[in-house]
Amino acid sequence: MKIIMLGAPGAGKGTQAARVADEYRIPHISTGDIFRANIKGGTELGKKAKGYMDAGKLVPDELVCDLVADRISQEDCKDGYVLDGFPRTIPQAEALDKAVAAMNGKIDFAVNIDVPDEAIVKRMGGRRACTNCGATYHVEFNPPKQADTCDVCGSKLVLRDDDKPETVKTRLSVYHEQTQPLIDYYEDQKILVTVDGTKDMEEVFSSIKEKLGA
Ligand code: ADP
Ligand code: ADP
Ligand code: ZN
């Protein structure tokens, strides 16, 4: 199963992608996590991406498309994958279609997690992210067992710099301008499914599974 997660920043893409990946035993590919790992590792790509990310802007398409095309051509992706945070622009969606078609495949579902902007701002302030493995928590809605410590790997949790309210506002307007058009793009391809992302995490996951026919 090849799945794309769509939604505003903070809609719950990462949270649900991790569950979907577990359920179908397929890799969870987060471009945000890939960029953050590159920044941490001090790579050329990380250096190029950092300024855009800190400003709440999108990293240019040419820095992300080949990277994803390469990742999904790896052996562990042969039975499918869940893409979290990619595509985010129409050119990225077109590049993905091309890459998938070149491997004689097709995307099965684009899952749109629908959450209004008001709810997003509250969620982002409470998000805590693992500096090591990328797992995310919420201080109120999904707290870790031990404060500021990752349940999965024991590393420290932080409030991401780009989750501060000013940057969240920029990211939301970038989302509406550049990413929201993908909803129509996948609707036209007849692979769009939409779930109400304001429900609690378990309910959102159940409705995703239902729509994917699991
Ligand atoms: P969120 O979880 O809030 O949706 P991500 O972790 O997916 O955020 O992305 C963080 C930042 O990384 C984005 O604001 C953007 O700067 C960059 N980024 C991630 N994926 C992409 C992409 N597909 N295209 C361009 N920029 C991206
Ligand atoms: P995205 O990857 O779309 O940016 P995340 O999965 O990181 O979103 O979720 C953003 C924040 O909201 C995290 O702190 C997460 O724990 C929390 N969250 C995710 N889904 C829900 C939900 N259904 N209800 C309440 N909080 C949620
Ligand atoms: Zn961790």
Side-chain angles (χ1 to χ4, degrees), residues 14-145:
T15 302
Q16 299 300 333
R19 292 173 188 219
V20 168
D22 260 4
E23 178 84 17
Y24 291 94
R25 297 167 197 277
I26 50 179
H28 169 193
I29 302 171
S30 157
T31 44
D33 284 351
I34 293 173
F35 286 132
R36 281 184 290 275
N38 275 276
I39 291 174
K40 210 172 153 191
T43 68
E44 272 314 302
L45 177 65
K47 283 180 196 146
K48 287 183 188 151
K50 187 175 188 314
Y52 298 100
M53 292 174 72
D54 286 347
K57 303 271 172 64
L58 293 183
V59 173
D61 292 337
E62 55 272 25
L63 291 183
V64 66
C65 289
D66 290 350
L67 181 149
V68 173
D70 181 61
R71 179 66 189 85
I72 62 175
S73 70
Q74 288 170 22
E75 178 63 19
D76 64 334
C77 289
K78 69 178 188 335
D79 296 328
Y81 41 81
V82 48
L83 288 174
D84 160 17
F86 182 92
R88 263 180 154 99
T89 65
I90 297 280
Q92 288 182 16
E94 290 169 348
L96 176 64
D97 281 346
K98 230 171 122 186
V100 174
M103 293 182 276
N104 298 316
K106 66 167 192 48
I107 301 293
D108 297 290
F109 290 104
V111 178
N112 176 33
I113 307 181
D114 189 31
V115 178
D117 288 10
E118 306 80 73
I120 295 290
V121 179
K122 175 158 187 214
R123 277 199 194 172
M124 299 301 251
R127 169 155 70 179
R128 295 295 178 272
C130 176
T131 45
N132 176 52
C133 77
T136 57
Y137 301 84
H138 192 282
V139 289
E140 186 182 336
F141 307 126
N142 181 26
K145 294 197 178 78

Side-chain angles (χ1 to χ4, degrees), residues 6-13 52-58 88 112-125 127 160 162-181 183:
L6 293 177
K13 299 181 298 295
Y52 298 100
M53 292 174 72
D54 286 347
K57 303 271 172 64
L58 293 183
R88 263 180 154 99
N112 176 33
I113 307 181
D114 189 31
V115 178
D117 288 10
E118 306 80 73
I120 295 290
V121 179
K122 175 158 187 214
R123 277 199 194 172
M124 299 301 251
R127 169 155 70 179
R160 271 165 47 183
D162 63 344
D163 279 351
K164 296 185 175 146
E166 320 78 73
T167 318
V168 170
K169 278 196 203 125
T170 310
R171 290 165 67 201
L172 275 173
S173 62
V174 166
Y175 166 77
H176 289 300
E177 248 169 61
Q178 305 196 57
T179 308
Q180 211 170 11
I183 294 177

